[in-house]
Amino acid sequence: MVYILPKNNTRPDYTYAKEYSRILKARRTTPESSIVMLVPPDLDALCAAHILTTLFGRDDANLRTIPVSGFKNLQDVKDSLLEEKDQLRTIILLNIGALLDIGGDEWFEEFPSRVTIHIIDSSRPVDLHNLFGGAGATEDGATGPRVVVWDDGHADKLTKERLAFDAEEFGFDSSSDEEFEDEEEDEATEDETVDYEEDEDGSKKRRRSASDDGRPGRRRRKRHDGDNLARQEAREQRRMHQQVLHNYYSSGAHYGQSAAGVTYILSSELGYADNDLLWLAILGLTHQYLSATITRDQYEAYYTIFNNEVGRLNPPVTMASKGFGDDAGVQPSTELRFPLLRRWNLYEAMFHSGYVANKLAIWQESGINKLNRLLTKMGLSQKQAQQSYMYMNSELRESLPDQLDNIGAESGLIELSYPSFTKSYGNEMQRTSAADVLAGAGALLEAAKGVRLTVEVEGGRGGGELFGGERIWDLRKETGRGKVNVPLRNGDHGSSGSGQASRPGNGSLDGGDVEENEGTGEQMIDGQPVSVHNFWTAFDALGSKRQSSAKGINEGPDLATFAHPMTLTRLVLWLIEATRDRIPLVHAQRLSAGKGASRKSYPYVIACHNPSKRAYTVVGVTGAPEIGEIRRNHFTVAFLRARDQSRARTRLGTFQTSVVEVNQDDLAEFIDALADADSDDDN
């Protein structure tokens, strides 16, 4: 096992570019199907997958992409790949596997040593076996697969953890404690020299020999006292190492550089970086920030790096070129915390913002009145506020951030904006923000197919339709074409091999009926899970110029929609943002905490019933009292403890242990056990 870093570091032989070259070199022995990439339904992973697909395509290397939805699916894919292990040379795991002992017997130990498994995962902590362990061994004595972690500098900081891991893994005999106890029991025998003399009747009698100074066994006793002290020190040292490892693994989920960011660094080292790849890396970073997995400080540090890249790859936009067909670059921007503002109108975007809802209590009549007064102070009439953002006066649009900073502060609306980027597509569509692309792609990933959704049609606002209304969401109508999954220039993404998730054909999207798998309760279209169809739809959307085709999707109250882990997670994040100042305990603790004081976390658990699976989707998020702060998500560990304590029947449907499916009959016990565990942690 080894970890690699970008170039210009202290380990010049272990860099992204050199490892990429090794992948290409190994591919030459079996060029047809030697490189496989496993990708979860995660927006950052999708962006990283696009970048790698482009890089391997430019080097004429075939790359298979297999969607993997959870641990059970990963196990199935692993078993199917074993059947072709003679042809395999490289397996790439994107945002999968950091916390798993990938080379261990539960996962990929059976693969031969010629197979290298690459882990590109932003989640932390990383299993130390992946970073510092030796290769596994199979039953026939052959060395197991080589595991390579694409690190961002995190591993070099794990000095104590590596020392503890090395001591536990290589420096101790597991039977040492038992040996210590056995030796202590026999101490009396060892400390004395025992002779036997014969009595007159022929029987033997034991007598104790004495040393020259008449004190029995003193020299030997002194030596064993030293041994006992050494044993005690060894035990104490081992306890310290075990505590270090326990603290490391129970520290809660946190995140480093995005997978898309890591793969973009690779493209830069190879000299392949361009605007399209940079934009995908920006999307990965923005997804981390908007999903509250990195802090504002982390975000701004990476933003500065990407801003330099934008300046390097894009000429400045001049008044002469602005708005013309050759404007197809990436530019810095200031974005407001209002969802889909560029595709909506100011009033609706503010009304549906969790941040605004929190500050103004928008669900109450008084909150709506506050919003209307705020817009009036800005000099906006009701008609202007509800006019499509695209058709607003350009001077008014450009002045919005400054106006909101000045006037919004009176209503407690601070930090309404954040630095970000937009991308132009010439004459094909209007400039699009990173947040809007993520909203559209995320909606496709969650509900492109398999869920009945109604879409609101606005009317009478800035040249829109005469009358508003609703209609049923239909993917083919939204894209305006029957063929949705347009292949990228790098070739096919999937494989029809046994047990592998192949890319769905167009027929399934043009009219395939949704059926339910009786065994798992999972929805299927033409024999493929709906999640696979949605994966490829979102994948293609990120790689095409119709990235915002899902604008205006309204999830509605349908349980099938909110039972999706991503949808439910977004709801939790919205609720945290909307109620952050509405919980007296948290609010008081924040106000009373001085500079440098320890601030309480804001744990939030939400469950949604999924009748088709007879289970609840449960999501746990640890929120922070302030916007821009994050807390490590301790539900990754708490859910596992609650499961073991309550004996609830659970299933991990994703790679996040803070998202779990709980049998509907066991939910009460699971929540009780979770509350008990949380209470114990507080004490």
Side-chain angles (χ1 to χ4, degrees), residues 3 19 48 97 132 162 177 194 207 222 248 268 277 324 335 372 414 447 461 467 478 495 547 626 672 682:
Y3 65 92
E19 199 61 41
F132 311 127
R162 181 167 191 172
D177 286 344
V194 180
R207 68 178 178 81
K222 183 176 181 180
Y248 173 73
S268 297
L277 300 185
F324 284 85
E335 296 300 313
N372 292 330
I414 57 176
R461 292 175 183 171
F467 299 103
E478 293 299 321
S495 169
Q547 300 174 61
E626 297 284 359
D672 288 343
D682 290 342

Side-chain angles (χ1 to χ4, degrees), residues 76 80-81 83-84 495-500:
D76 294 340
S80 70
L81 291 177
E83 299 176 5
E84 51 181 289
S495 169
S496 56
S498 174
Q500 296 173 5

Side-chain angles (χ1 to χ4, degrees), residues 480-550:
R481 56 186 178 180
K483 186 177 181 182
V484 176
N485 290 321
V486 179
L488 298 180
R489 59 181 178 271
N490 297 324
D492 193 17
H493 306 288
S495 169
S496 56
S498 174
Q500 296 173 5
S502 62
R503 187 188 184 97
N506 295 319
S508 64
L509 291 172
D510 288 343
D513 293 330
V514 178
E515 300 176 350
E516 185 176 303
N517 185 310
E518 295 181 359
T520 64
E522 190 170 18
Q523 291 182 313
M524 311 287 287
I525 297 178
D526 292 348
Q528 289 281 1
V530 167
S531 60
V532 173
H533 291 271
N534 293 350
F535 174 93
W536 287 120
T537 304
F539 186 92
D540 288 341
L542 286 172
S544 71
K545 295 180 179 179
R546 297 180 180 271
Q547 300 174 61
S548 298
S549 61

Side-chain angles (χ1 to χ4, degrees), residues 36 38 64 66 68 70-86 88 91 93 104-112 117 497-501:
V36 174
L38 309 186
R64 275 189 296 158
I66 303 178
V68 182
F71 289 107
K72 176 62 169 62
N73 193 195
L74 177 62
Q75 188 73 43
D76 294 340
V77 171
K78 186 258 304 185
D79 293 341
S80 70
L81 291 177
L82 270 175
E83 299 176 5
E84 51 181 289
K85 62 183 179 182
D86 293 336
L88 277 177
I91 300 174
L93 307 180
D105 56 359
E106 289 188 34
W107 293 104
F108 291 86
E109 184 188 62
E110 300 174 68
F111 285 75
I117 301 173
S498 174
Q500 296 173 5

Side-chain angles (χ1 to χ4, degrees), residues 258-542:
S258 67
V262 169
T263 51
Y264 178 76
I265 291 174
L266 171 63
S267 73
S268 297
E269 293 184 6
L270 299 175
Y272 288 160
D274 59 23
N275 262 340
D276 290 336
L277 300 185
L278 174 60
W279 180 243
L280 290 166
I282 288 172
L283 293 179
L285 171 64
T286 307
H287 171 66
Q288 285 189 310
Y289 180 60
L290 295 181
S291 59
T293 57
I294 60 173
T295 66
R296 177 70 178 251
D297 290 341
Q298 285 178 286
Y299 173 76
E300 291 185 346
Y302 289 125
Y303 170 85
T304 301
I305 296 172
F306 286 139
N307 195 32
N308 293 335
E309 284 291 285
V310 167
R312 182 176 71 88
L313 296 174
N314 295 269
V317 177
T318 64
M319 293 303 296
S321 63
K322 188 175 182 181
F324 284 85
D326 58 352
D327 179 18
V330 179
Q331 297 296 334
S333 66
T334 299
E335 296 300 313
L336 294 167
R337 295 181 181 275
F338 307 148
L340 295 172
L341 174 60
R342 282 181 169 82
R343 297 295 187 271
W344 216 346
N345 61 72
L346 180 61
Y347 183 86
E348 296 290 353
M350 292 185 71
F351 185 87
H352 288 86
S353 166
Y355 181 71
V356 174
N358 167 42
K359 296 297 183 180
L360 303 184
I362 209 73
W363 53 86
Q364 299 174 357
E365 188 67 29
S366 60
I368 297 177
N369 292 333
K370 290 179 183 178
L371 175 59
N372 292 330
R373 286 197 297 270
L374 175 63
L375 294 171
T376 301
K377 287 182 180 179
M378 293 172 59
L380 293 171
S381 66
Q382 190 78 1
K383 182 179 179 180
Q384 287 177 310
Q386 294 186 344
Q387 183 182 30
S388 174
Y389 183 83
M390 173 188 276
Y391 299 109
M392 285 182 70
N393 180 279
S394 59
E395 294 182 359
L396 182 58
R397 283 203 309 261
E398 293 174 0
S399 66
L400 276 179
D402 291 337
Q403 285 200 63
L404 285 167
D405 283 342
N406 295 330
I407 300 175
E410 300 175 8
S411 302
L413 296 173
I414 57 176
E415 294 187 11
L416 274 174
S417 62
Y418 63 94
S420 186
F421 302 92
T422 60
K423 192 176 190 304
S424 291
Y425 301 95
N427 291 326
E428 298 193 29
M429 62 183 298
Q430 63 176 310
R431 180 173 286 273
T432 304
S433 70
D436 286 355
V437 172
L438 292 169
L444 291 174
L445 193 60
E446 298 167 35
K449 299 290 285 185
V451 176
R452 183 181 176 87
L453 294 176
T454 57
V455 182
E456 180 182 342
V457 178
E458 297 184 12
R461 292 175 183 171
E465 298 184 25
L466 182 60
F467 299 103
E470 291 183 346
R471 58 182 172 81
I472 302 299
W473 161 259
D474 187 301
L475 181 62
R476 291 165 292 164
K477 292 181 180 178
E478 293 299 321
T479 58
R481 56 186 178 180
K483 186 177 181 182
V484 176
N485 290 321
V486 179
L488 298 180
R489 59 181 178 271
N490 297 324
D492 193 17
H493 306 288
S495 169
S496 56
S498 174
Q500 296 173 5
S502 62
R503 187 188 184 97
N506 295 319
S508 64
L509 291 172
D510 288 343
D513 293 330
V514 178
E515 300 176 350
E516 185 176 303
N517 185 310
E518 295 181 359
T520 64
E522 190 170 18
Q523 291 182 313
M524 311 287 287
I525 297 178
D526 292 348
Q528 289 281 1
V530 167
S531 60
V532 173
H533 291 271
N534 293 350
F535 174 93
W536 287 120
T537 304
F539 186 92
D540 288 341
L542 286 172

Side-chain angles (χ1 to χ4, degrees), residues 196-205:
Y196 292 88
E197 59 183 12
E198 202 171 284
D199 288 343
E200 295 178 357
D201 58 1
S203 62
K204 290 184 178 181
K205 182 174 72 174

Side-chain angles (χ1 to χ4, degrees), residues 105-334:
D105 56 359
E106 289 188 34
W107 293 104
F108 291 86
E109 184 188 62
E110 300 174 68
F111 285 75
S113 58
R114 60 177 171 270
V115 175
T116 300
I117 301 173
H118 296 265
I119 302 174
I120 306 177
D121 194 343
S122 63
S123 63
R124 305 287 184 269
V126 180
D127 191 287
L128 297 177
H129 290 89
N130 297 331
L131 292 171
F132 311 127
T138 56
E139 293 181 358
D140 59 3
T143 305
R146 178 171 176 258
V147 177
V148 178
V149 177
W150 294 54
D151 188 57
D152 60 355
H154 169 73
D156 284 339
K157 301 175 184 178
L158 301 177
T159 306
K160 294 188 301 180
E161 290 79 4
R162 181 167 191 172
L163 177 64
F165 174 81
D166 288 344
E168 285 294 294
E169 193 73 9
F170 310 115
F172 289 101
D173 182 358
S174 61
S175 62
S176 58
D177 286 344
E178 297 178 2
E179 292 175 357
F180 292 159
E181 294 174 1
D182 293 341
E183 289 175 358
E184 288 173 356
E185 292 177 0
D186 297 337
E187 199 173 73
T189 303
E190 293 177 353
D191 287 344
E192 300 171 358
T193 301
V194 180
D195 293 333
Y196 292 88
E197 59 183 12
E198 202 171 284
D199 288 343
E200 295 178 357
D201 58 1
S203 62
K204 290 184 178 181
K205 182 174 72 174
R206 188 174 72 169
R207 68 178 178 81
R208 179 181 300 169
S209 64
S211 61
D212 293 340
D213 60 1
R215 287 174 290 185
R218 180 183 178 187
R219 191 182 300 266
R220 193 177 297 269
R221 167 69 70 179
K222 183 176 181 180
R223 187 189 70 192
H224 281 284
D225 284 346
D227 291 343
N228 288 337
L229 180 60
R231 293 189 191 102
Q232 291 175 2
E233 291 177 350
R235 285 197 193 97
E236 182 60 29
Q237 190 70 25
R238 186 173 189 183
R239 278 192 289 268
M240 291 174 59
H241 290 322
Q242 290 173 340
Q243 186 62 45
V244 168
L245 295 178
H246 172 76
N247 293 341
Y248 173 73
Y249 285 117
S250 61
S251 61
H254 52 291
Y255 294 83
Q257 188 169 33
S258 67
V262 169
T263 51
Y264 178 76
I265 291 174
L266 171 63
S267 73
S268 297
E269 293 184 6
L270 299 175
Y272 288 160
D274 59 23
N275 262 340
D276 290 336
L277 300 185
L278 174 60
W279 180 243
L280 290 166
I282 288 172
L283 293 179
L285 171 64
T286 307
H287 171 66
Q288 285 189 310
Y289 180 60
L290 295 181
S291 59
T293 57
I294 60 173
T295 66
R296 177 70 178 251
D297 290 341
Q298 285 178 286
Y299 173 76
E300 291 185 346
Y302 289 125
Y303 170 85
T304 301
I305 296 172
F306 286 139
N307 195 32
N308 293 335
E309 284 291 285
V310 167
R312 182 176 71 88
L313 296 174
N314 295 269
V317 177
T318 64
M319 293 303 296
S321 63
K322 188 175 182 181
F324 284 85
D326 58 352
D327 179 18
V330 179
Q331 297 296 334
S333 66
T334 299

